[in-house]
Amino acid sequence: MEKDDILEIDLREMVYILLKKWYLIVLCFVLAAGSAFVVTQFYIKPVYKAETTLFLGKEKEQVSLSFADIQVNNQLVVDYREILQSRRVAEIINQKFGVGIREFQNNVTVKTVKDSRLFSISYEDTDPKRAADVVNELATVIQEMADEIIQVKNIKVIDTVKIPENPIKPNKKMNVGAAGLFGLVLGVGLIVLLELIDHTFKKPEEVERTLGINVIGTIPSFEGGKRGKKKAKDEKELQEQYLKNLIVHNNPKSAPAEAFRELRTNLYYSSVDREVKTVVVTSPTLGDGKTVTAVNLAITLARSGKKVLIIDADLRKPKVHHYFGVKSKEGLTNLLTDSKDDLKIKITEKTDISNLHIITCGPIPPNPAEMLNSNRMKNLLEKVREEYDIIIIDTPPVGQVTDAAIVAGITDGVILVLASGQTRIEMAKRAVKSLESVKARFIGTVLTKLDTERTGYYYSYKYE
């Protein structure tokens, strides 16, 4: 991985990401805690613990108990522990209660009460009655074996074993709590992982650092109409949806409209050293917002007093005519296929937007790349250069077809449109390489669909 590919996430940004995707944390918490509850409640057998306490006293014939006797008793407790955990005792329990030898040895416990001659015998089992029966049997066995093996009779039973009523495990509250905590950590980890593997541009700095091209515009995301799902029966509704995306025309005081005006200003500065009249607008992939950027930029330029022409050179999936609500029966393809030497350009003028003129796509041809690479296309651009202050050319995504690279090679510059959180870095690099292969001049990049809450320091415009 190259250094430029490393994603940097600051603390404030990470907090925002976690808050935005809080539902993943809640989902992981609910799934983990819920699963733990179900497993604990219905699948894990409860374990019960039965216990008895015994006392090491003195032999009947002893009058008193010396310090040496106490030390001997302490040693006897160790001996009794080993006897109770021996294979011989395990076999007795196995024969009487059917408990496996290994299972018995794993579940029996003998421990002393600190600074006393008391010691306890406990046994854990999924059957509470069997647990009590085993402990009772062990109390009897240790008394008999103490007499038989060590030849002492100083063990007294203090507590009578009772059948336990409440299981000692599983601990339902602890299991659910631990699982819930694990779910929270898992949710946070999942969000961080998704962010790290999301190899898309998020901020202008990432674009400039990775591609080495200046960002001349950052467009906040805005609610426009749905695009790209054309249905013949909803043609009117479709047209209305497209028109909603002319944010500069519909809501000129909005933050996105101001962002397009800033893009216009930066475009002016880019032409200080070299005249820029023909500008190609393209993107690495579909849905990056290139056509929305092209039409809004054209409107912004026209409103600044420039005579603007926008050409729909996307001869595969033309959209410009939809955004402006005009017909596309005749357009660029008619101009490029006309055999007459005298090139007569049919241009649509937007009456409600002064200084703005449009050449729509026209009928979709079978050979778009060849048509755009023709001499007639070059002649067309030369002719409109004389009549217009600036020409905006919308083209197909350069990362998917060669059309944009062809047109970019015969124009003054190209604007590469990238979508924040959507355009993959690999596709953007491929697009840049494709444009560089035709020696296209980069005016800059535009980062659209910018999350202003995540990168709020870019836009804070408020209008009344």
Side-chain angles (χ1 to χ4, degrees):
M1 181 179 286
E2 299 177 5
K3 183 178 180 181
D4 290 341
D5 293 337
I6 298 175
L7 297 178
E8 297 179 0
I9 306 175
D10 59 31
L11 182 60
R12 189 187 75 165
E13 187 176 354
M14 180 52 64
V15 170
Y16 169 74
I17 294 169
L18 293 176
L19 292 176
K20 184 177 180 181
K21 298 183 178 180
W22 60 269
Y23 54 89
L24 286 178
I25 299 176
V26 173
L27 179 62
C28 289
F29 172 80
V30 171
L31 288 177
S35 300
F37 175 80
V38 171
V39 171
T40 303
Q41 181 73 19
F42 301 105
Y43 292 95
I44 298 179
K45 291 184 178 180
V47 176
Y48 297 86
K49 181 179 180 180
E51 186 174 21
T52 185
T53 304
L54 299 96
F55 176 74
L56 291 180
K58 59 184 180 64
E59 294 287 347
K60 292 182 179 180
E61 61 272 14
Q62 285 182 306
V63 178
S64 62
L65 193 65
S66 66
F67 179 74
D69 293 328
I70 295 176
Q71 288 183 316
V72 171
N73 284 344
N74 290 337
Q75 182 60 47
L76 285 175
V77 172
V78 177
D79 296 337
Y80 297 156
R81 181 188 299 117
E82 296 302 320
I83 292 173
L84 288 169
Q85 294 177 336
S86 67
R87 185 176 183 83
R88 179 179 174 183
V89 173
E91 289 174 349
I92 294 173
I93 299 300
N94 174 258
Q95 293 175 3
K96 194 162 186 177
F97 301 104
V99 178
I101 293 175
R102 182 65 62 86
E103 180 185 354
F104 168 78
Q105 291 177 332
N106 289 336
N107 293 324
V108 66
T109 303
V110 181
K111 61 182 180 180
T112 58
V113 179
K114 186 177 180 182
D115 299 328
S116 72
R117 285 176 286 160
L118 299 174
F119 71 100
S120 64
I121 303 172
S122 62
Y123 181 74
E124 297 177 5
D125 200 296
T126 54
D127 184 345
K129 185 177 183 306
R130 185 168 58 186
D133 291 341
V134 168
V135 172
N136 282 326
E137 182 65 21
L138 290 175
T140 302
V141 167
I142 193 60
Q143 288 175 323
E144 293 175 354
M145 286 191 172
D147 185 17
E148 175 188 346
I149 299 173
I150 309 176
Q151 297 180 348
V152 294
K153 298 180 179 179
N154 63 342
I155 301 176
K156 306 292 183 181
V157 177
I158 302 297
D159 293 329
T160 303
V161 181
K162 294 183 179 179
I163 298 176
E165 297 179 356
N166 299 315
I168 59 167
K169 57 184 178 182
N171 189 324
K172 197 179 299 181
K173 290 182 179 180
M174 185 181 71
N175 287 357
V176 172
L181 180 61
F182 172 76
L184 292 176
V185 175
L186 179 64
V188 172
L190 180 62
I191 292 173
V192 173
L193 179 62
L194 291 174
E195 188 66 20
L196 291 177
I197 64 176
D198 181 11
H199 210 215
T200 60
F201 295 109
K202 306 295 189 309
K203 298 182 291 186
E205 293 91 337
E206 295 173 355
V207 176
E208 294 179 345
R209 184 175 63 248
T210 304
L211 302 182
I213 304 173
N214 290 335
V215 176
I216 61 171
T218 52
I219 312 300
S221 58
F222 61 91
E223 187 176 353
K226 295 181 180 179
R227 309 180 298 277
K229 296 183 179 180
K230 183 176 180 179
K231 296 180 180 179
K233 61 181 180 180
D234 297 323
E235 187 68 30
K236 185 176 180 181
E237 182 182 350
L238 174 71
Q239 195 68 61
E240 292 176 354
Q241 292 292 324
Y242 274 100
L243 290 172
K244 289 180 181 179
N245 291 280
L246 297 180
I247 190 70
V248 173
H249 182 64
N250 298 328
N251 191 2
K253 292 185 177 182
S254 65
E258 178 63 28
F260 279 112
R261 285 190 284 271
E262 183 178 339
L263 172 61
R264 175 193 64 193
T265 302
N266 292 336
L267 182 61
Y268 287 160
Y269 281 119
S270 68
S271 60
V272 172
D273 298 327
R274 177 183 172 183
E275 185 181 34
V276 176
K277 295 194 73 174
T278 52
V279 178
V280 167
V281 179
T282 188
S283 64
T285 56
L286 287 170
D288 291 330
K290 66 174 182 62
T291 307
V292 173
T293 300
V295 296
N296 281 285
L297 177 60
I299 295 173
T300 306
L301 288 166
R303 286 186 171 175
S304 69
K306 299 287 185 180
K307 188 177 181 182
V308 180
L309 173 66
I310 181 168
I311 301 176
D312 192 348
D314 188 343
L315 305 185
R316 300 173 189 268
K317 293 183 178 181
K319 294 289 190 302
V320 170
H321 64 287
H322 286 306
Y323 286 102
F324 287 114
V326 297
K327 301 294 182 180
S328 185
K329 292 182 179 180
E330 293 186 13
L332 181 61
T333 53
N334 301 100
L335 295 172
L336 299 181
T337 54
D338 194 343
S339 59
K340 297 178 181 179
D341 294 333
D342 184 18
L343 192 64
K344 293 183 179 180
I345 304 173
K346 183 176 181 180
I347 296 176
T348 303
E349 182 176 1
K350 281 291 290 180
T351 56
D352 56 338
I353 305 175
S354 58
N355 298 321
L356 180 63
H357 302 80
I358 307 163
I359 296 181
T360 60
C361 169
I364 297 177
N367 55 342
E370 289 76 6
M371 294 187 69
L372 294 174
N373 198 30
S374 64
N375 288 327
R376 291 189 69 84
M377 182 66 184
K378 296 176 184 177
N379 294 337
L380 170 64
L381 293 179
E382 287 298 324
K383 187 167 185 179
V384 295
R385 281 178 66 92
E386 299 173 0
E387 300 180 18
Y388 292 90
D389 296 319
I390 190 164
I391 300 97
I392 304 296
I393 308 169
D394 182 45
T395 63
V398 68
Q400 297 177 310
V401 291
T402 60
D403 302 19
I406 292 171
V407 180
I410 57 175
T411 53
D412 298 329
V414 59
I415 294 176
L416 185 64
V417 178
L418 311 168
S420 176
Q422 180 175 316
T423 303
R424 293 192 60 79
I425 294 175
E426 295 84 355
M427 292 299 297
K429 288 182 176 180
R430 187 185 304 175
V432 171
K433 188 175 181 180
S434 177
L435 292 168
E436 288 177 341
S437 67
V438 296
K439 295 180 172 55
R441 177 177 177 264
F442 283 99
I443 297 174
T445 61
V446 175
L447 189 60
T448 64
K449 304 180 182 180
L450 196 67
D451 191 336
T452 54
E453 292 183 1
R454 178 171 181 169
T455 53
Y457 48 90
Y458 290 107
Y459 285 97
S460 58
Y461 306 105
K462 290 185 179 180
Y463 295 91
E464 298 297 334

